[in-house]
Amino acid sequence: MKKSVLFTLAALAAGAFSANAQEVTYVEDCSQGYLQNKAKDNWFMTVQGGSNILFGNSNIHADLKNRFGGNAGLYFGKWVTPTFGFRFGGQYLMTKGATRYSTMMFRKMNEGALANGYYPTKMQAVSPEFDVLINLTNWWCGYRPGRVYNAVLHGGGGAMFMFRRAYDGNDLRWRSAHDTPIYIAAGLQNNFAVSKRVDLFLDVNYQIFKMAGVPNHYVQDLQLSAGLNVKFGKTEWNCPVTAVCPTWKYTDAEGDALVARLAQADAKIKDLQKQLDECLKRPVVEKVSCEGLATIYYPINQYSISNREKTILKSLAEVMKETPNQKYILTGWADNYTGNDEINTRLRNQRVNTVKDYLVKCGVSESQLDARIDAANLTDFGVKGAPLDRAVTIKLAD
């Protein structure tokens, strides 16, 4: 016997535990950050190309149209989180500007000189580069898969292997400038998603470097490029999954109060049931007196019939028409606490005649209606009950 009881209690406990366990839900909680994807995921390749313009102590002396060059870049990178990433690769630059040193460019001192005494110059550079990436949109607005626009800030640097266009004997050709300046760069890449794995972008990049052999000669280069990013591996991010346990709605005290209220409600239901049973045991009344059929009430100093009262009179008219031999007494009343005798007498007559006319309009024979007035009060409740005295009563005639 004891074993069966213990087995039953254990089964009930297990069932209760199972029911509670089914209420536990598991959801992604992004407030805890984002899960790190595998090393092979979130890689991308960037291909871009565009134009650049030089700014420097000497370069600004060339005409603006002669300072535009070309640039191209190829990078590989990885997003470590939705906000932070890096890339490495290289860029190619073709720059145009001006210089004071003719011997670096020409055989003769004045050959090819500009009108201001400077000489046109061209340079090419191949530059390995490393950049840090910050997705400003995900940082400020939160990560959202499928977002169309992302603003990515990038900054880093590298080294330029430079080539100049200069004379070698009698031949004008490209030759090493024996100059490898270190440069720093920063820019903003505006990405527009074309698909899950391809973005088109417009990039604005600024970089600065120092020319070797020329004191305090810093060259600034502004680049505008267009290109595309091709993504590899998994491209989205997931949040840690956490369990959401059900919370109890009521405290012990609130639960006890609810139990007490339910007990009171149950007792009231039983009492109502008892009253109903007693009512059902009462004998049925064979005939109900309908001497007082209806009372029509009015606001102070008014005798017109409201829409609500008209509805009552229409129903009453249907009853009257079914018994054409039955007579009815219509009595007009007014309270004696307001107005004077002349005004109250007029109101009594107006009220009772208005009711009589409306019943006749509804098809009741005028011969069935006996309209009269009563100068007394309809009730004896004093001034507070005065609104109950402004009425027309309708009763069965003897």
Side-chain angles (χ1 to χ4, degrees), residues 49-82:
S51 182
N52 69 84
I53 183 171
L54 284 179
F55 298 89
N57 298 340
S58 299
N59 295 308
I60 59 175
H61 293 282
D63 291 340
L64 181 63
K65 64 181 180 180
N66 295 325
R67 287 161 55 196
F68 285 99
N71 62 272
L74 176 65
Y75 301 91
F76 292 90
K78 177 179 172 62
W79 286 103
V80 182
T81 71

PDB file of all heavy atoms in Angstrom, residues 49-82:
ATOM      1  N   GLY A  49      38.038  50.874 -58.050  1.00  0.00           N
ATOM      2  CA  GLY A  49      38.809  51.729 -58.945  1.00  0.00           C
ATOM      3  C   GLY A  49      38.187  53.107 -59.013  1.00  0.00           C
ATOM      4  O   GLY A  49      36.982  53.274 -58.775  1.00  0.00           O
ATOM      5  N   GLY A  50      39.021  54.116 -59.346  1.00  0.00           N
ATOM      6  CA  GLY A  50      38.480  55.471 -59.400  1.00  0.00           C
ATOM      7  C   GLY A  50      39.536  56.481 -59.771  1.00  0.00           C
ATOM      8  O   GLY A  50      40.487  56.190 -60.509  1.00  0.00           O
ATOM      9  N   SER A  51      39.381  57.668 -59.222  1.00  0.00           N
ATOM     10  CA  SER A  51      40.261  58.789 -59.551  1.00  0.00           C
ATOM     11  C   SER A  51      40.803  59.392 -58.270  1.00  0.00           C
ATOM     12  O   SER A  51      40.247  59.195 -57.182  1.00  0.00           O
ATOM     13  CB  SER A  51      39.483  59.835 -60.356  1.00  0.00           C
ATOM     14  OG  SER A  51      40.321  60.909 -60.721  1.00  0.00           O
ATOM     15  N   ASN A  52      41.923  60.132 -58.422  1.00  0.00           N
ATOM     16  CA  ASN A  52      42.505  60.804 -57.260  1.00  0.00           C
ATOM     17  C   ASN A  52      43.042  62.157 -57.678  1.00  0.00           C
ATOM     18  O   ASN A  52      43.277  62.426 -58.865  1.00  0.00           O
ATOM     19  CB  ASN A  52      43.616  59.946 -56.646  1.00  0.00           C
ATOM     20  CG  ASN A  52      44.833  59.852 -57.543  1.00  0.00           C
ATOM     21  OD1 ASN A  52      45.700  60.724 -57.552  1.00  0.00           O
ATOM     22  ND2 ASN A  52      44.893  58.778 -58.346  1.00  0.00           N
ATOM     23  N   ILE A  53      43.269  63.026 -56.703  1.00  0.00           N
ATOM     24  CA  ILE A  53      43.843  64.340 -56.951  1.00  0.00           C
ATOM     25  C   ILE A  53      44.845  64.643 -55.852  1.00  0.00           C
ATOM     26  O   ILE A  53      44.597  64.354 -54.676  1.00  0.00           O
ATOM     27  CB  ILE A  53      42.743  65.422 -57.025  1.00  0.00           C
ATOM     28  CG1 ILE A  53      43.359  66.780 -57.367  1.00  0.00           C
ATOM     29  CG2 ILE A  53      41.931  65.485 -55.740  1.00  0.00           C
ATOM     30  CD1 ILE A  53      42.333  67.842 -57.667  1.00  0.00           C
ATOM     31  N   LEU A  54      46.014  65.192 -56.242  1.00  0.00           N
ATOM     32  CA  LEU A  54      47.094  65.488 -55.301  1.00  0.00           C
ATOM     33  C   LEU A  54      46.974  66.901 -54.749  1.00  0.00           C
ATOM     34  O   LEU A  54      46.574  67.833 -55.455  1.00  0.00           O
ATOM     35  CB  LEU A  54      48.449  65.334 -55.971  1.00  0.00           C
ATOM     36  CG  LEU A  54      48.972  63.915 -56.201  1.00  0.00           C
ATOM     37  CD1 LEU A  54      50.324  63.989 -56.894  1.00  0.00           C
ATOM     38  CD2 LEU A  54      49.090  63.153 -54.905  1.00  0.00           C
ATOM     39  N   PHE A  55      47.343  67.026 -53.462  1.00  0.00           N
ATOM     40  CA  PHE A  55      47.485  68.331 -52.824  1.00  0.00           C
ATOM     41  C   PHE A  55      48.861  68.347 -52.164  1.00  0.00           C
ATOM     42  O   PHE A  55      49.206  67.431 -51.423  1.00  0.00           O
ATOM     43  CB  PHE A  55      46.401  68.548 -51.768  1.00  0.00           C
ATOM     44  CG  PHE A  55      45.007  68.554 -52.310  1.00  0.00           C
ATOM     45  CD1 PHE A  55      44.288  67.375 -52.409  1.00  0.00           C
ATOM     46  CD2 PHE A  55      44.418  69.725 -52.737  1.00  0.00           C
ATOM     47  CE1 PHE A  55      43.005  67.361 -52.907  1.00  0.00           C
ATOM     48  CE2 PHE A  55      43.121  69.727 -53.242  1.00  0.00           C
ATOM     49  CZ  PHE A  55      42.419  68.549 -53.330  1.00  0.00           C
ATOM     50  N   GLY A  56      49.658  69.360 -52.425  1.00  0.00           N
ATOM     51  CA  GLY A  56      50.983  69.443 -51.825  1.00  0.00           C
ATOM     52  C   GLY A  56      51.585  70.804 -52.076  1.00  0.00           C
ATOM     53  O   GLY A  56      51.047  71.640 -52.824  1.00  0.00           O
ATOM     54  N   ASN A  57      52.774  71.058 -51.498  1.00  0.00           N
ATOM     55  CA  ASN A  57      53.413  72.364 -51.645  1.00  0.00           C
ATOM     56  C   ASN A  57      53.684  72.717 -53.091  1.00  0.00           C
ATOM     57  O   ASN A  57      53.597  73.881 -53.497  1.00  0.00           O
ATOM     58  CB  ASN A  57      54.716  72.392 -50.843  1.00  0.00           C
ATOM     59  CG  ASN A  57      54.468  72.203 -49.362  1.00  0.00           C
ATOM     60  OD1 ASN A  57      53.359  72.421 -48.895  1.00  0.00           O
ATOM     61  ND2 ASN A  57      55.490  71.778 -48.628  1.00  0.00           N
ATOM     62  N   SER A  58      54.027  71.706 -53.890  1.00  0.00           N
ATOM     63  CA  SER A  58      54.340  71.957 -55.298  1.00  0.00           C
ATOM     64  C   SER A  58      53.175  71.582 -56.213  1.00  0.00           C
ATOM     65  O   SER A  58      52.929  72.247 -57.221  1.00  0.00           O
ATOM     66  CB  SER A  58      55.584  71.163 -55.712  1.00  0.00           C
ATOM     67  OG  SER A  58      56.708  71.559 -54.957  1.00  0.00           O
ATOM     68  N   ASN A  59      52.463  70.528 -55.870  1.00  0.00           N
ATOM     69  CA  ASN A  59      51.436  70.009 -56.770  1.00  0.00           C
ATOM     70  C   ASN A  59      50.320  70.996 -57.044  1.00  0.00           C
ATOM     71  O   ASN A  59      49.706  70.985 -58.117  1.00  0.00           O
ATOM     72  CB  ASN A  59      50.848  68.721 -56.209  1.00  0.00           C
ATOM     73  CG  ASN A  59      51.874  67.607 -56.156  1.00  0.00           C
ATOM     74  OD1 ASN A  59      52.518  67.311 -57.146  1.00  0.00           O
ATOM     75  ND2 ASN A  59      52.050  67.017 -54.980  1.00  0.00           N
ATOM     76  N   ILE A  60      50.038  71.859 -56.089  1.00  0.00           N
ATOM     77  CA  ILE A  60      48.939  72.798 -56.277  1.00  0.00           C
ATOM     78  C   ILE A  60      49.236  73.840 -57.335  1.00  0.00           C
ATOM     79  O   ILE A  60      48.353  74.579 -57.754  1.00  0.00           O
ATOM     80  CB  ILE A  60      48.587  73.499 -54.938  1.00  0.00           C
ATOM     81  CG1 ILE A  60      49.792  74.253 -54.392  1.00  0.00           C
ATOM     82  CG2 ILE A  60      48.068  72.498 -53.925  1.00  0.00           C
ATOM     83  CD1 ILE A  60      49.485  75.063 -53.137  1.00  0.00           C
ATOM     84  N   HIS A  61      50.505  73.896 -57.808  1.00  0.00           N
ATOM     85  CA  HIS A  61      50.867  74.872 -58.851  1.00  0.00           C
ATOM     86  C   HIS A  61      50.551  74.357 -60.251  1.00  0.00           C
ATOM     87  O   HIS A  61      50.699  75.104 -61.221  1.00  0.00           O
ATOM     88  CB  HIS A  61      52.350  75.234 -58.742  1.00  0.00           C
ATOM     89  CG  HIS A  61      52.669  75.994 -57.487  1.00  0.00           C
ATOM     90  ND1 HIS A  61      52.400  77.333 -57.327  1.00  0.00           N
ATOM     91  CD2 HIS A  61      53.212  75.582 -56.303  1.00  0.00           C
ATOM     92  CE1 HIS A  61      52.777  77.733 -56.116  1.00  0.00           C
ATOM     93  NE2 HIS A  61      53.284  76.669 -55.474  1.00  0.00           N
ATOM     94  N   ALA A  62      50.120  73.126 -60.364  1.00  0.00           N
ATOM     95  CA  ALA A  62      49.677  72.615 -61.660  1.00  0.00           C
ATOM     96  C   ALA A  62      48.196  72.921 -61.828  1.00  0.00           C
ATOM     97  O   ALA A  62      47.462  73.081 -60.847  1.00  0.00           O
ATOM     98  CB  ALA A  62      49.927  71.114 -61.758  1.00  0.00           C
ATOM     99  N   ASP A  63      47.751  73.023 -63.080  1.00  0.00           N
ATOM    100  CA  ASP A  63      46.329  73.243 -63.329  1.00  0.00           C
ATOM    101  C   ASP A  63      45.528  72.097 -62.733  1.00  0.00           C
ATOM    102  O   ASP A  63      45.964  70.945 -62.719  1.00  0.00           O
ATOM    103  CB  ASP A  63      46.060  73.331 -64.830  1.00  0.00           C
ATOM    104  CG  ASP A  63      46.643  74.602 -65.435  1.00  0.00           C
ATOM    105  OD1 ASP A  63      46.904  75.546 -64.663  1.00  0.00           O
ATOM    106  OD2 ASP A  63      46.861  74.624 -66.659  1.00  0.00           O
ATOM    107  N   LEU A  64      44.306  72.424 -62.271  1.00  0.00           N
ATOM    108  CA  LEU A  64      43.470  71.423 -61.617  1.00  0.00           C
ATOM    109  C   LEU A  64      43.210  70.224 -62.527  1.00  0.00           C
ATOM    110  O   LEU A  64      43.287  69.076 -62.100  1.00  0.00           O
ATOM    111  CB  LEU A  64      42.141  72.047 -61.183  1.00  0.00           C
ATOM    112  CG  LEU A  64      41.161  71.113 -60.450  1.00  0.00           C
ATOM    113  CD1 LEU A  64      41.774  70.630 -59.139  1.00  0.00           C
ATOM    114  CD2 LEU A  64      39.837  71.823 -60.200  1.00  0.00           C
ATOM    115  N   LYS A  65      42.953  70.498 -63.802  1.00  0.00           N
ATOM    116  CA  LYS A  65      42.644  69.406 -64.723  1.00  0.00           C
ATOM    117  C   LYS A  65      43.843  68.486 -64.939  1.00  0.00           C
ATOM    118  O   LYS A  65      43.682  67.339 -65.358  1.00  0.00           O
ATOM    119  CB  LYS A  65      42.166  69.971 -66.057  1.00  0.00           C
ATOM    120  CG  LYS A  65      43.237  70.776 -66.786  1.00  0.00           C
ATOM    121  CD  LYS A  65      42.709  71.336 -68.092  1.00  0.00           C
ATOM    122  CE  LYS A  65      43.796  72.143 -68.830  1.00  0.00           C
ATOM    123  NZ  LYS A  65      43.295  72.688 -70.111  1.00  0.00           N
ATOM    124  N   ASN A  66      45.070  68.975 -64.677  1.00  0.00           N
ATOM    125  CA  ASN A  66      46.270  68.169 -64.856  1.00  0.00           C
ATOM    126  C   ASN A  66      46.716  67.482 -63.569  1.00  0.00           C
ATOM    127  O   ASN A  66      47.817  66.939 -63.507  1.00  0.00           O
ATOM    128  CB  ASN A  66      47.415  69.042 -65.389  1.00  0.00           C
ATOM    129  CG  ASN A  66      47.120  69.572 -66.780  1.00  0.00           C
ATOM    130  OD1 ASN A  66      46.494  68.887 -67.588  1.00  0.00           O
ATOM    131  ND2 ASN A  66      47.548  70.799 -67.057  1.00  0.00           N
ATOM    132  N   ARG A  67      45.862  67.523 -62.541  1.00  0.00           N
ATOM    133  CA  ARG A  67      46.218  66.901 -61.262  1.00  0.00           C
ATOM    134  C   ARG A  67      45.388  65.650 -60.975  1.00  0.00           C
ATOM    135  O   ARG A  67      45.537  65.040 -59.923  1.00  0.00           O
ATOM    136  CB  ARG A  67      46.025  67.904 -60.125  1.00  0.00           C
ATOM    137  CG  ARG A  67      47.099  68.990 -60.116  1.00  0.00           C
ATOM    138  CD  ARG A  67      46.665  70.197 -59.325  1.00  0.00           C
ATOM    139  NE  ARG A  67      46.265  69.857 -57.963  1.00  0.00           N
ATOM    140  CZ  ARG A  67      45.561  70.681 -57.184  1.00  0.00           C
ATOM    141  NH1 ARG A  67      45.165  71.852 -57.649  1.00  0.00           N
ATOM    142  NH2 ARG A  67      45.244  70.316 -55.965  1.00  0.00           N
ATOM    143  N   PHE A  68      44.502  65.283 -61.878  1.00  0.00           N
ATOM    144  CA  PHE A  68      43.682  64.081 -61.677  1.00  0.00           C
ATOM    145  C   PHE A  68      44.403  62.849 -62.209  1.00  0.00           C
ATOM    146  O   PHE A  68      44.879  62.843 -63.346  1.00  0.00           O
ATOM    147  CB  PHE A  68      42.326  64.222 -62.376  1.00  0.00           C
ATOM    148  CG  PHE A  68      41.385  65.134 -61.657  1.00  0.00           C
ATOM    149  CD1 PHE A  68      41.225  66.457 -62.060  1.00  0.00           C
ATOM    150  CD2 PHE A  68      40.670  64.687 -60.549  1.00  0.00           C
ATOM    151  CE1 PHE A  68      40.364  67.303 -61.399  1.00  0.00           C
ATOM    152  CE2 PHE A  68      39.798  65.523 -59.882  1.00  0.00           C
ATOM    153  CZ  PHE A  68      39.644  66.842 -60.299  1.00  0.00           C
ATOM    154  N   GLY A  69      44.483  61.826 -61.379  1.00  0.00           N
ATOM    155  CA  GLY A  69      45.077  60.558 -61.772  1.00  0.00           C
ATOM    156  C   GLY A  69      44.106  59.416 -61.531  1.00  0.00           C
ATOM    157  O   GLY A  69      42.926  59.626 -61.233  1.00  0.00           O
ATOM    158  N   GLY A  70      44.607  58.214 -61.646  1.00  0.00           N
ATOM    159  CA  GLY A  70      43.763  57.038 -61.437  1.00  0.00           C
ATOM    160  C   GLY A  70      44.230  56.212 -60.263  1.00  0.00           C
ATOM    161  O   GLY A  70      45.365  56.352 -59.789  1.00  0.00           O
ATOM    162  N   ASN A  71      43.361  55.358 -59.769  1.00  0.00           N
ATOM    163  CA  ASN A  71      43.730  54.444 -58.679  1.00  0.00           C
ATOM    164  C   ASN A  71      42.886  53.182 -58.767  1.00  0.00           C
ATOM    165  O   ASN A  71      41.778  53.177 -59.328  1.00  0.00           O
ATOM    166  CB  ASN A  71      43.550  55.098 -57.313  1.00  0.00           C
ATOM    167  CG  ASN A  71      42.112  55.488 -57.032  1.00  0.00           C
ATOM    168  OD1 ASN A  71      41.697  56.586 -57.384  1.00  0.00           O
ATOM    169  ND2 ASN A  71      41.352  54.612 -56.389  1.00  0.00           N
ATOM    170  N   ALA A  72      43.414  52.105 -58.235  1.00  0.00           N
ATOM    171  CA  ALA A  72      42.715  50.828 -58.188  1.00  0.00           C
ATOM    172  C   ALA A  72      43.173  50.086 -56.937  1.00  0.00           C
ATOM    173  O   ALA A  72      44.270  50.348 -56.407  1.00  0.00           O
ATOM    174  CB  ALA A  72      42.987  49.998 -59.437  1.00  0.00           C
ATOM    175  N   GLY A  73      42.326  49.184 -56.453  1.00  0.00           N
ATOM    176  CA  GLY A  73      42.675  48.462 -55.236  1.00  0.00           C
ATOM    177  C   GLY A  73      42.078  47.079 -55.203  1.00  0.00           C
ATOM    178  O   GLY A  73      41.027  46.818 -55.792  1.00  0.00           O
ATOM    179  N   LEU A  74      42.782  46.180 -54.518  1.00  0.00           N
ATOM    180  CA  LEU A  74      42.313  44.812 -54.310  1.00  0.00           C
ATOM    181  C   LEU A  74      42.623  44.441 -52.864  1.00  0.00           C
ATOM    182  O   LEU A  74      43.789  44.519 -52.431  1.00  0.00           O
ATOM    183  CB  LEU A  74      43.000  43.845 -55.276  1.00  0.00           C
ATOM    184  CG  LEU A  74      42.653  42.362 -55.082  1.00  0.00           C
ATOM    185  CD1 LEU A  74      41.174  42.115 -55.380  1.00  0.00           C
ATOM    186  CD2 LEU A  74      43.539  41.495 -55.969  1.00  0.00           C
ATOM    187  N   TYR A  75      41.571  44.044 -52.105  1.00  0.00           N
ATOM    188  CA  TYR A  75      41.741  43.741 -50.687  1.00  0.00           C
ATOM    189  C   TYR A  75      40.998  42.451 -50.342  1.00  0.00           C
ATOM    190  O   TYR A  75      40.010  42.087 -50.985  1.00  0.00           O
ATOM    191  CB  TYR A  75      41.163  44.868 -49.807  1.00  0.00           C
ATOM    192  CG  TYR A  75      41.781  46.218 -50.046  1.00  0.00           C
ATOM    193  CD1 TYR A  75      41.243  47.095 -50.982  1.00  0.00           C
ATOM    194  CD2 TYR A  75      42.901  46.622 -49.328  1.00  0.00           C
ATOM    195  CE1 TYR A  75      41.806  48.339 -51.203  1.00  0.00           C
ATOM    196  CE2 TYR A  75      43.470  47.878 -49.537  1.00  0.00           C
ATOM    197  CZ  TYR A  75      42.915  48.725 -50.477  1.00  0.00           C
ATOM    198  OH  TYR A  75      43.474  49.958 -50.691  1.00  0.00           O
ATOM    199  N   PHE A  76      41.494  41.793 -49.295  1.00  0.00           N
ATOM    200  CA  PHE A  76      40.806  40.661 -48.678  1.00  0.00           C
ATOM    201  C   PHE A  76      40.643  40.993 -47.195  1.00  0.00           C
ATOM    202  O   PHE A  76      41.574  41.529 -46.571  1.00  0.00           O
ATOM    203  CB  PHE A  76      41.592  39.368 -48.851  1.00  0.00           C
ATOM    204  CG  PHE A  76      41.647  38.892 -50.271  1.00  0.00           C
ATOM    205  CD1 PHE A  76      42.684  39.296 -51.116  1.00  0.00           C
ATOM    206  CD2 PHE A  76      40.654  38.065 -50.768  1.00  0.00           C
ATOM    207  CE1 PHE A  76      42.731  38.870 -52.432  1.00  0.00           C
ATOM    208  CE2 PHE A  76      40.694  37.629 -52.091  1.00  0.00           C
ATOM    209  CZ  PHE A  76      41.733  38.030 -52.923  1.00  0.00           C
ATOM    210  N   GLY A  77      39.479  40.706 -46.655  1.00  0.00           N
ATOM    211  CA  GLY A  77      39.241  41.070 -45.264  1.00  0.00           C
ATOM    212  C   GLY A  77      38.282  40.133 -44.579  1.00  0.00           C
ATOM    213  O   GLY A  77      37.716  39.215 -45.179  1.00  0.00           O
ATOM    214  N   LYS A  78      38.075  40.391 -43.281  1.00  0.00           N
ATOM    215  CA  LYS A  78      37.187  39.557 -42.455  1.00  0.00           C
ATOM    216  C   LYS A  78      36.525  40.436 -41.401  1.00  0.00           C
ATOM    217  O   LYS A  78      37.180  41.301 -40.803  1.00  0.00           O
ATOM    218  CB  LYS A  78      37.980  38.441 -41.765  1.00  0.00           C
ATOM    219  CG  LYS A  78      37.124  37.576 -40.823  1.00  0.00           C
ATOM    220  CD  LYS A  78      37.962  36.474 -40.200  1.00  0.00           C
ATOM    221  CE  LYS A  78      37.182  35.722 -39.123  1.00  0.00           C
ATOM    222  NZ  LYS A  78      35.987  35.040 -39.662  1.00  0.00           N
ATOM    223  N   TRP A  79      35.236  40.177 -41.198  1.00  0.00           N
ATOM    224  CA  TRP A  79      34.518  40.809 -40.088  1.00  0.00           C
ATOM    225  C   TRP A  79      34.591  39.885 -38.879  1.00  0.00           C
ATOM    226  O   TRP A  79      34.132  38.755 -38.923  1.00  0.00           O
ATOM    227  CB  TRP A  79      33.066  41.070 -40.474  1.00  0.00           C
ATOM    228  CG  TRP A  79      32.917  42.221 -41.433  1.00  0.00           C
ATOM    229  CD1 TRP A  79      32.692  42.148 -42.765  1.00  0.00           C
ATOM    230  CD2 TRP A  79      33.023  43.606 -41.099  1.00  0.00           C
ATOM    231  NE1 TRP A  79      32.650  43.405 -43.308  1.00  0.00           N
ATOM    232  CE2 TRP A  79      32.850  44.325 -42.303  1.00  0.00           C
ATOM    233  CE3 TRP A  79      33.251  44.319 -39.931  1.00  0.00           C
ATOM    234  CZ2 TRP A  79      32.890  45.718 -42.360  1.00  0.00           C
ATOM    235  CZ3 TRP A  79      33.291  45.703 -39.986  1.00  0.00           C
ATOM    236  CH2 TRP A  79      33.113  46.393 -41.178  1.00  0.00           C
ATOM    237  N   VAL A  80      35.186  40.392 -37.805  1.00  0.00           N
ATOM    238  CA  VAL A  80      35.320  39.619 -36.571  1.00  0.00           C
ATOM    239  C   VAL A  80      34.021  39.667 -35.771  1.00  0.00           C
ATOM    240  O   VAL A  80      33.612  38.689 -35.150  1.00  0.00           O
ATOM    241  CB  VAL A  80      36.500  40.139 -35.737  1.00  0.00           C
ATOM    242  CG1 VAL A  80      36.673  39.319 -34.469  1.00  0.00           C
ATOM    243  CG2 VAL A  80      37.786  40.116 -36.568  1.00  0.00           C
ATOM    244  N   THR A  81      33.378  40.823 -35.764  1.00  0.00           N
ATOM    245  CA  THR A  81      32.053  41.025 -35.154  1.00  0.00           C
ATOM    246  C   THR A  81      31.227  41.841 -36.150  1.00  0.00           C
ATOM    247  O   THR A  81      31.765  42.304 -37.163  1.00  0.00           O
ATOM    248  CB  THR A  81      32.165  41.793 -33.812  1.00  0.00           C
ATOM    249  OG1 THR A  81      32.518  43.151 -34.086  1.00  0.00           O
ATOM    250  CG2 THR A  81      33.187  41.156 -32.894  1.00  0.00           C
ATOM    251  N   PRO A  82      29.941  42.051 -35.883  1.00  0.00           N
ATOM    252  CA  PRO A  82      29.160  42.878 -36.800  1.00  0.00           C
ATOM    253  C   PRO A  82      29.666  44.319 -36.893  1.00  0.00           C
ATOM    254  O   PRO A  82      29.324  45.024 -37.841  1.00  0.00           O
ATOM    255  CB  PRO A  82      27.746  42.846 -36.193  1.00  0.00           C
ATOM    256  CG  PRO A  82      27.698  41.595 -35.398  1.00  0.00           C
ATOM    257  CD  PRO A  82      29.078  41.415 -34.856  1.00  0.00           C
TER     258      PRO A  82
END
